[in-house]
Amino acid sequence: MASSVKKPFSLFSLLLDSGLTAIAFSIFYWLVNSHVPSNDPAMIKLWGGLTAGCMAGVFWLALQMLKTVYRFQRDQRK
């Protein structure tokens, strides 16, 4: 039996989410880079990147939750 429910996955959505997450990573890296307590440039890059990676992951999760709630609310109005 075929279902008429549209699947929420699309290549465009994946590329858009990846692009937004990459932009968020860049912004987070730029912000936290100056707060790393070190004088070694390699350590500043390492810990800035690790911190920005965690923050970008939280951004991606929040974006997915926002999209899911939006879809649910939109479907409830129909």
Side-chain angles (χ1 to χ4, degrees):
M1 202 177 275
S3 174
S4 64
V5 176
K6 183 183 174 200
K7 297 199 186 317
F9 176 78
S10 70
L11 185 59
F12 176 73
S13 177
L14 178 66
L15 291 175
L16 181 65
D17 292 348
S18 298
L20 288 173
T21 304
I23 291 169
F25 176 85
S26 300
I27 291 169
F28 293 144
Y29 181 76
W30 177 71
L31 287 173
V32 301
N33 214 19
S34 62
H35 295 284
V36 176
S38 178
N39 292 327
D40 185 14
M43 287 293 115
I44 293 173
K45 289 178 185 176
L46 172 70
W47 292 108
L50 289 173
T51 304
C54 291
M55 293 171 78
V58 171
F59 173 82
W60 182 81
L61 285 171
L63 181 62
Q64 299 310 309
M65 288 189 290
L66 179 71
K67 287 170 48 177
T68 301
V69 169
Y70 174 73
R71 269 190 225 111
F72 177 75
Q73 289 180 347
R74 184 187 62 203
D75 292 343
Q76 290 299 314
R77 288 189 205 133
K78 290 181 181 179

